[in-house]
Amino acid sequence: MDLPITWPDVEAAAERLKGVAHRTPVVTSRHVDRLTGAQVFFKCENLQRVGAFKFRGAYNTLSQLSAEQRRRGVIAWSSGNHGQAVALAAQLLGMPAVIAMPEDSPPIKLAATRGYGAEVVLYDRYTADREQIGRDIAAERGMAVVPPYDHPHVMAGQGTAVKELLEEVGPLDLLFVGIGGGGLISGSATAANHLAPACEVWGVEPEAGNDVQRSLQRGERVAIEVPRTIADAAQTHLVGALTFPVIQQLVKGVLTVSDAQLVQAMRLFAERLKLVVEPTGCLGTAALLAKLRPVEGKRVGVMVSGGNVDLLRYAEWLRSA
Ligand SMILES: *Cc1c(COP(=O)(O)O)cnc(C)c1O
């Protein structure tokens, strides 16, 4: 079956992002290597522009819009990081942007999105149909919809982080990537499949929202209630129609971690690696630390996907750990 993206799409995205996105650092830790018995490489997308990998997919998508569409602008709906990413990409490209965000998004994410010059429209994440809200505004104003994950340009853009990681450290045996709607892992797996075909790509979901794990078991997309988890960027209820076939074909399997395990990983990042990582950004690391896969003696990549966290909540989580 033809997949919605292939390696050349990731390569082309990397060209568009050159000089615009940060080439984020890859961090290692003797402490983590000792804990796991593996050689671990953390790709620090918490240090990407807007504090998450989502800038890659957003910029790759917006930069391919027509001049006419650039004039009318774009709209996105997002639990936070995608909104900020689209807002910044739109600002850099001189386009108007509307971002629909859950009203309970971390205040820092709301403020940052407005700070990039976007208009923010709020909705209730447990009751509202955010897609309907977004599509109505798009129709009224002639704006282009930029989906958070289910778009080939978004997926290809997200894959550029793993392209950088593998080009920098060489082939890996395993790669752990957090999953929300599957944009990051579909791009990541596409890059890994080309650059390190023997590398097993493992997805990691919050255990409260294991829709992708269940979807793989069933062989079709399974919708769930909006999961209640501290991993707010992974509170998706249905994997993408375009991301799912890529996951089915290129991802080895999906693991799940608890909120408590995410907090443990967050704490390790703060204490040992001096990195602020948001709960969703800890999915891969939590799976590694919980030894959900045997990694002893292996070269392991971990996607650290984002670092946008309300500092008051962050302090409370660390204190409770
Ligand atoms: C969006 C997001 C994810 C999940 O990415 P998907 O492409 O939706 O699977 C993971 N971590 C962070 C920090 C995010 O912002």
Side-chain angles (χ1 to χ4, degrees):
M1 187 177 93
D2 276 355
L3 292 176
I5 59 165
T6 55
W7 166 248
D9 300 312
V10 178
E11 259 187 323
E15 274 306 309
R16 290 184 198 102
L17 288 168
K18 215 173 249 174
V20 183
H22 293 318
R23 185 180 183 100
T24 52
V26 176
V27 166
T28 58
S29 157
R30 284 170 196 235
H31 175 70
V32 171
D33 288 357
R34 248 191 326 268
L35 281 179
T36 58
Q39 198 180 354
V40 181
F41 303 92
F42 294 103
K43 177 63 170 170
C44 293
E45 286 293 297
N46 57 319
L47 303 177
Q48 184 51 263
R49 293 183 83 167
V50 312
F53 69 90
K54 290 228 173 51
F55 177 69
R56 296 173 182 270
Y59 190 88
N60 187 47
T61 304
L62 267 56
S63 65
Q64 294 182 72
L65 293 175
S66 68
E68 168 63 9
Q69 195 57 65
R70 286 190 188 203
R71 199 179 55 72
R72 289 175 181 274
V74 289
I75 176 158
W77 47 89
S78 162
S79 57
N81 289 335
H82 177 61
Q84 288 182 59
V86 171
L88 174 59
Q91 188 180 56
L92 292 173
L93 293 162
M95 303 166 54
V98 171
I99 312 297
M101 296 175 71
E103 60 195 4
D104 62 346
S105 297
I108 190 173
K109 292 188 179 181
L110 293 171
T113 307
R114 293 190 176 110
Y116 294 122
E119 179 187 341
V120 172
V121 175
L122 298 173
Y123 64 86
D124 180 339
R125 78 160 87 221
Y126 298 105
T127 60
D129 183 346
R130 64 180 186 174
E131 179 149 352
Q132 197 53 54
I133 293 168
R135 295 209 183 277
D136 287 349
I137 296 172
E140 273 162 33
R141 306 197 198 177
M143 291 180 141
V145 172
V146 189
Y149 46 83
D150 215 20
H151 187 295
H153 299 168
V154 174
M155 294 154 64
Q158 318 305 34
T160 58
V162 162
K163 174 179 182 287
E164 289 173 8
L165 171 64
L166 291 168
E167 286 173 350
E168 183 167 335
V169 307
L172 297 169
D173 300 307
L174 290 96
L175 175 66
F176 293 104
V177 182
I179 308 184
L184 177 61
I185 197 166
S186 56
S188 299
T190 301
N193 184 53
H194 179 83
L195 293 171
C199 178
E200 289 185 2
V201 179
W202 287 89
V204 187
E205 287 183 293
E207 68 185 15
N210 68 333
D211 61 297
V212 180
Q213 192 180 53
R214 285 161 60 180
S215 298
L216 285 177
Q217 282 159 5
R218 284 261 294 271
E220 61 180 11
R221 297 190 299 148
V222 175
I224 57 168
E225 292 287 298
V226 174
R228 305 224 174 206
T229 165
I230 63 171
D232 62 294
Q235 281 182 307
T236 39
H237 75 290
L238 179 63
V239 66
L242 301 179
T243 61
F244 186 55
V246 180
I247 294 170
Q248 278 182 305
Q249 190 152 327
L250 300 181
V251 171
K252 186 83 180 170
V254 174
L255 313 165
T256 63
V257 295
S258 67
D259 280 4
Q261 287 171 320
L262 291 174
V263 171
Q264 288 300 336
M266 233 185 311
R267 192 189 177 101
L268 176 133
F269 275 123
E271 217 164 46
R272 294 289 184 154
L273 290 96
K274 318 304 167 191
L275 292 171
V276 175
V277 183
E278 66 184 275
T280 317
C282 291
L283 283 166
T285 306
L288 170 74
L289 296 175
K291 301 195 177 351
L292 298 181
R293 296 301 310 160
V295 296
E296 214 145 303
K298 303 266 171 76
R299 290 166 51 82
V300 179
V302 180
M303 182 58 62
V304 182
S305 53
N308 291 319
V309 59
D310 181 71
L311 282 185
L312 198 59
R313 289 192 203 175
Y314 184 71
E316 282 164 7
W317 286 322
L318 293 193
R319 193 169 45 200
S320 70

